[in-house]
């Protein structure tokens, strides 16, 4: 099921996502407001101190019953201590709460995004770059964390500053207060204009970051291929080109965002000069107290100067919103196979399959399976062979329900696969594929992967059955040997036997091997064949084989071509039919050659 495009603003989506953290958001906001209120008090205290020095016993503070100027200054000093202590306290609190909130949101977003990513059907990953997905899960979520660390508090404090100081001007000197307020509409308009211009540029930056990350992931994963083909210079140039595009995208943003502060600074200058001159004239003419003039000068600076940081704050905000769009897009992706409701106990699974007029195609390309009909009896060992592109691996993907059929149905023990709970289907089947994936960890950890509660003895028994125990014990640390990323420290045959041991330990009623012996030596193939003979007892075993010797003794062999089963039977029956199977066998045995080959 495809997700609908979300039209909500990224900021609204972020707020909605943060609803579980609203208490922490409110407290962090409160501490930011209180910190700014106490931060704005010193200019008023300075004005009061000037008023005391100039007017003495006629100062404003004298009206509170403190007549002696020395006592007034001591009184102001006490208030100043309290203000600075409270400002420092609330700065500590808002920094702790905003940073904690950033960590909570970052942690929650990454877990939720990754969890949702895992739930997507395999078709979703056909058109997705793993590097771009990693960029979203890592870089974009980190960008949000940086915004919550600093940007959110800056926005709140600028807003509080405008409200508080604007109020001071309007109540204490309305006739000149407008001079400080006059630049505000232009500053706000300029900020909004810059925001609109920056938004698409930051989106481009994130796209270029994803493209660069994607290629880096591909290259690191294919380093052996790069080295074996001597394409280091080619790949360096490719990474250089992507990095250059990323740099240019950032430069486009930098050139525009860097212009913000100088332009805003000029607008601020007009307001500051206006207050400096007009309030100064009123003070010289005796129409305004010196202390009030001092307050107005200082609060004007406090009002207008922080606005120069709006450029940096909007820069951080736009980067965060570009990242939010990508993260929320991933969170809202719903390309998930419909969940069945029928439970499936793996201990009671018989393992009988029936394909009824099955059709299947990927999102692009021609149909892969066409009106496929076949039956696999419970407990049978079935081999599936055929030329490349016949549809063998696609059939396996349908059995595992990594994809759904596009027509017809597949029955397991008489019920449509789509009726069963996906989790139960996973437990009922074990897969050993041609492309073995081992995690960076020990041999023991890789064998027990997915069966985490297995005992050491169970792991040893599975390894022995897979004929892996002997070579494992010859490794430097035995079962505690690190296999390296993707098992690169082991040979292909060793990885195959570890994967087979992993599947045996899982003990599923249905075992599926997808080209498990295609890239191993004869000795490993023989070992896997011996293991299969033992583990196939009392379980349904389905083997896709390139090497026909692997499935020679199967109960039934299905020969596929062009998405259909064209032959079916045992090895002996198919060999005597002189059809495609016979031809494939003769080619592999070296008795005949393809028409284009030279003798």
């Amino acid at each position: 099921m495809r997700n609908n495009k979300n039209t909500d603003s990224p900021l609204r989506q972020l707020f909605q996502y943060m609803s579980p953290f609203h208490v922490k958001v409110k407290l962090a906001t409160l501490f930011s407001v209180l910190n700014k209120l106490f931060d704005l008090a010193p200019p008023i205290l300075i004005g009061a101190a000037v008023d005391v020095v100039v007017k003495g016993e006629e100062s404003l503070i004298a009206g509170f019953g403190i007549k002696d100027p020395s006592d007034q200054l001591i009184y102001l000093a006490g208030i100043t201590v309290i203000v600075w202590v409270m400002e420092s306290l609330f700065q500590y609190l808002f920094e702790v709460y905003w940073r904690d909130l950033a960590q909570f949101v970052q942690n929650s977003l990454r877990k939720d995004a990754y969890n949702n990513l895992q739930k997507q059907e395999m078709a979703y990953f056909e058109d997705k770059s793993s590097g771009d997905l990693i960029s979203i899960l890592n870089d974009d979520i980190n960008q949000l964390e940086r915004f919550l660390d600093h940007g959110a508090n800056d926005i709140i404090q600028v807003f509080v500053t405008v409200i508080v100081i604007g109020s001071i001007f309007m109540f204490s000197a309305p006739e000149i207060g407008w001079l400080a307020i006059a630049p505000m509409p232009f500053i706000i308009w300029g900020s909004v204009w810059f925001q609109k211009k920056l938004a698409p540029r930051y989106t481009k930056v994130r796209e270029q970051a994803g493209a660069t990350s994607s290629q880096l992931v591909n290259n690191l994963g294919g380093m052996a291929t790069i080295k074996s083909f001597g394409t280091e210079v080619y790949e360096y140039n490719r990474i250089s080109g992507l990095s250059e595009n990323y740099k240019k995208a950032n430069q486009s943003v930098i050139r525009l965002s860097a212009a913000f502060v100088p332009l805003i600074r000029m607008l601020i200058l007009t307001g500051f000069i206006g207050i400096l001159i007009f309030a100064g004239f009123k003070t010289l003419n005796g129409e305004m107290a010196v202390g009030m003039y001092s307050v107005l000068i200082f609060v004007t600076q406090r009002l207008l100067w922080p606005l120069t940081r709006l450029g940096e704050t909007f820069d951080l905000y736009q980067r965060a919103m570009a990242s939010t769009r990508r993260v929320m897009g991933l969170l809202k992706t719903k390309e998930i196979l419909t969940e069945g409701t029928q439970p499936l106990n793996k201990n009671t699974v018989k393992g009988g399959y029936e394909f009824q007029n099955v059709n299947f195609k990927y999102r692009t390309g021609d149909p892969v399976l066409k009106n496929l009909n076949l039956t696999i009896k419970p407990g049978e060992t079935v081999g599936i062979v055929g030329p490349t592109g016949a549809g063998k691996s696609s059939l396996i993907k349908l059995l595992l329900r990594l994809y759904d059929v596009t027509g017809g149905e597949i029955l397991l023990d008489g019920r449509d696969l789509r009726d069963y709970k996906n989790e139960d289907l996973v437990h009922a089947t074990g897969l050993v594929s041609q492309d073995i994936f081992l995690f960076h960890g020990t041999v023991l950890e890789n064998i027990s992967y997915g069966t985490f509660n297995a005992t050491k003895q169970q792991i040893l028994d599975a390894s022995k059955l897979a004929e892996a125990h002997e070579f494992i014990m010859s490794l430097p640390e035995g079962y505690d040997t690190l296999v390296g990323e993707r098992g690169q420290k082991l040979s292909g045959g060793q990885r195959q036997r570890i994967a087979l041991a992993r599947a045996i330990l899982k003990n599923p009623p249905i075992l599926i091997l997808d080209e498990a012996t295609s890239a191993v030596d004869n000795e490993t193939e023989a070992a896997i064949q011996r293991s299969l003979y033992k583990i196939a007892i009392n379980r349904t075993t389905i083997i896709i084989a390139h090497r026909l010797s692997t499935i020679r003794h199967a109960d039934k062999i299905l020969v596929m071509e062009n998405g259909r089963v064209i032959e079916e039977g045992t090895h002996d029956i198919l060999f005597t039919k002189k059809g495609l199977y016979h031809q494939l066998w003769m080619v592999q045995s070296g008795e005949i050659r393809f028409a284009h080959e030279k003798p």
Side-chain angles (χ1 to χ4, degrees), residues 7 41 55 65 80 87 98 181 189 196 260 293 354 361 366 378 414 449 487 503 576:
T7 57
K55 294 185 176 181
T80 301
E87 180 191 356
W98 279 119
I181 304 299
W189 175 84
K196 289 181 179 179
F260 180 84
Y293 177 64
E354 187 175 353
K361 71 183 296 293
D366 298 325
Y449 185 79
T576 58

Side-chain angles (χ1 to χ4, degrees), residues 118-251:
Q118 286 191 132
K119 294 177 180 178
Q120 306 311 306
E121 60 178 303
M122 288 302 297
Y124 169 80
F125 297 95
E126 290 176 18
D127 306 319
K128 299 297 179 182
S129 158
S130 58
D132 191 44
L133 294 174
I134 290 171
S135 177
I136 294 173
L137 292 171
N138 191 39
D139 296 342
D140 287 309
I141 290 177
N142 288 345
Q143 189 67 54
L144 285 175
E145 183 250 353
R146 286 190 285 272
F147 171 69
L148 291 174
D149 255 354
H150 305 290
N153 171 71
D154 289 345
I155 291 173
I156 291 169
Q157 293 206 338
V158 166
F159 181 76
V160 172
T161 300
V162 171
I163 295 296
V164 172
I165 296 182
S167 300
I168 292 174
F169 272 113
M170 290 301 101
F171 284 106
S172 61
E175 68 278 7
I176 61 170
W178 65 271
L179 291 170
I181 304 299
M184 294 297 298
F186 298 99
I187 293 173
I188 294 172
W189 175 84
S191 301
V192 172
W193 185 86
F194 269 91
Q195 177 185 338
K196 289 181 179 179
K197 291 293 183 181
L198 285 170
R201 300 189 185 205
Y202 277 122
T203 299
K204 184 69 173 177
V205 167
R206 298 316 310 153
E207 289 173 354
Q208 291 298 330
T212 305
S213 175
S214 175
Q215 193 60 50
L216 285 170
V217 169
N218 285 339
N219 284 20
L220 291 175
M223 193 57 68
T225 302
I226 292 171
K227 287 184 173 294
S228 65
F229 281 86
T231 55
E232 290 91 343
V233 173
Y234 172 82
E235 293 300 338
Y236 170 78
N237 290 335
R238 178 150 59 169
I239 294 299
S240 295
L242 290 169
S243 183
E244 184 72 18
N245 291 338
Y246 181 46
K247 182 194 75 174
K248 288 179 179 177
N250 265 308
Q251 284 179 323

Side-chain angles (χ1 to χ4, degrees), residues 81 102 182 202 213 228 272 290 403 427 448 505 573 592:
V81 170
Y202 277 122
S213 175
S228 65
F272 187 77
V290 175
Y403 294 83
H427 291 306
S448 62
L505 184 63
I573 292 174
I592 67 171

Side-chain angles (χ1 to χ4, degrees), residues 433-477:
S433 66
Q434 177 183 5
D435 184 21
I436 298 300
F437 188 93
L438 297 183
F439 293 90
H440 182 63
T442 66
V443 172
L444 184 74
E445 290 169 340
N446 274 283
I447 294 176
S448 62
Y449 185 79
T451 314
F452 302 110
N453 59 350
T455 65
K456 181 67 176 290
Q457 188 58 49
Q458 288 173 324
I459 294 172
L460 293 176
D461 291 342
S463 301
K464 291 174 181 176
L465 194 55
E467 299 206 14
H469 178 72
E470 185 175 342
F471 91 77
I472 292 174
M473 293 305 296
S474 69
L475 296 174
E477 303 294 333

Side-chain angles (χ1 to χ4, degrees), residues 61-82:
I61 294 180
F64 292 95
I66 306 173
K67 298 297 183 180
D68 185 83
S70 300
D71 293 338
Q72 292 176 29
L73 291 176
I74 293 173
Y75 177 74
L76 280 175
I79 295 176
T80 301
V81 170
I82 294 173

